Amino acid sequence: MESSYFARFKQVTPKRVSDFILEQLEEAIILKEVLPDEQLPPERELATLFKASRLAVREAIAELEQKGLIERRLGAKGGTFVLPLTANTHERTIKQIAENWNETKEMLEYRSIIEPEAARLAAARITPDHLAWIRELVEKSSGEDCSRETFRSLDVRFHLEIARASGNSYIENAVRKVRTKINPGLDLMPYNRQIQLASYEMHRILLEALERRDGDRAGKTMSLHVGKTLDALSQFVE
């Protein structure tokens, strides 16, 4: 008789080297560590960075292109460039989010546990350098000329920096994983000056709590902030 415990084991799935390269490049693009219109390094350089063959890099690049995340441009100023979200990508992503809403909702609920705790720890452990960097991100996000892409990039960096400031690598990796999963949906949310300033205000209050090393306030503010995001995305998709 088959053990119910062993029945829970997952089957091994083969993974190519190009898949590992794809995951890392896709994460960097989704987390906006590489911005739209920014050029990726040449294949030869990427192969050296990943310690992989140029063929494996080429396969990963081709997959990114198929997903609509990059494009290859010819000419003297040619190369491989990161793309902003296009209308077709919007439609495809909305459909994907709707089809996998239960999984996305679980990830957002997981976020509501992880990020408040990251903020609490960060309030106790944050360094002056981290505070200065987070303060700069908040200030930049308030400008009237802050575009959607710039705002989204600043928002992601703000949350990742707080996770990093927690001083706990497991929490930092968890926040990175969550943001990689939910960012495509967040990128589709409406954006205007009112939304920008509302988010800025929450970030400002969080920054103030970190500066005062008030872990309780930092955690509660982050909990409220991510809760509003869950509600907004739920209304947008459902």
Side-chain angles (χ1 to χ4, degrees), residues 20-232:
F20 288 99
I21 298 172
L22 171 64
E23 286 176 2
Q24 293 182 68
L25 290 175
E26 187 172 15
E27 179 180 285
I29 293 171
I30 290 175
L31 293 180
K32 302 190 184 299
E33 293 169 327
V34 186
L35 295 173
D37 287 327
E38 192 169 336
Q39 185 175 2
L40 295 183
E43 284 183 4
R44 184 184 292 105
E45 188 175 333
L46 286 173
T48 301
L49 287 171
F50 288 114
K51 292 184 170 35
S53 69
R54 291 184 66 177
L55 176 60
V57 169
R58 198 171 298 126
E59 289 174 348
I61 294 295
E63 184 67 22
L64 288 173
E65 188 174 24
Q66 185 177 354
K67 290 185 174 189
L69 295 175
I70 61 167
E71 71 172 2
R72 293 183 237 205
R73 300 173 188 170
L74 303 177
K77 296 183 179 180
T80 304
F81 293 83
V82 175
L83 288 173
L85 288 177
T86 64
N88 289 336
T89 305
H90 275 216
E91 292 170 4
R92 183 170 67 249
T93 306
I94 291 172
K95 183 179 179 182
Q96 289 173 343
I97 293 171
E99 289 175 348
N100 300 286
W101 177 239
N102 287 337
E103 179 184 353
T104 302
K105 189 174 181 180
E106 285 187 357
M107 189 63 71
L108 288 164
E109 289 173 346
Y110 177 53
R111 182 195 184 202
S112 70
I113 298 170
I114 294 296
E115 288 213 46
E117 188 56 35
R120 287 189 184 93
L121 288 174
R125 301 173 178 177
I126 197 164
T127 65
D129 286 344
H130 260 130
L131 265 178
W133 176 230
I134 292 173
R135 189 179 300 113
E136 182 179 343
L137 293 173
V138 173
E139 289 172 356
K140 285 182 177 179
S141 69
S142 66
E144 289 189 33
D145 60 345
C146 188
S147 67
R148 172 194 284 270
E149 284 295 334
T150 300
F151 176 79
R152 294 292 306 123
S153 173
L154 293 169
D155 176 71
V156 174
R157 293 180 186 182
F158 174 84
H159 286 272
L160 292 182
E161 282 302 318
I162 289 178
R164 191 171 293 119
S166 75
N168 187 303
S169 61
Y170 290 96
I171 288 178
E172 181 183 349
N173 289 333
V175 172
R176 286 186 66 86
K177 179 179 179 181
V178 169
R179 296 297 305 213
T180 301
K181 291 289 187 180
I182 68 174
N183 263 22
L186 298 183
D187 281 341
L188 303 178
M189 298 294 291
Y191 177 75
N192 54 43
R193 181 66 172 163
Q194 182 180 357
I195 291 171
Q196 175 198 359
L197 291 178
S199 181
Y200 160 75
E201 183 61 17
M202 294 298 293
H203 286 186
R204 187 193 64 75
I205 295 171
L206 263 166
L207 171 61
E208 188 178 86
L210 295 175
E211 290 173 330
R212 294 182 177 181
R213 299 195 175 276
D214 187 340
D216 186 56
R217 188 182 185 196
K220 287 179 179 177
T221 303
M222 182 67 84
S223 182
L224 177 62
H225 185 39
V226 300
K228 287 184 176 180
T229 301
L230 171 57
D231 292 342

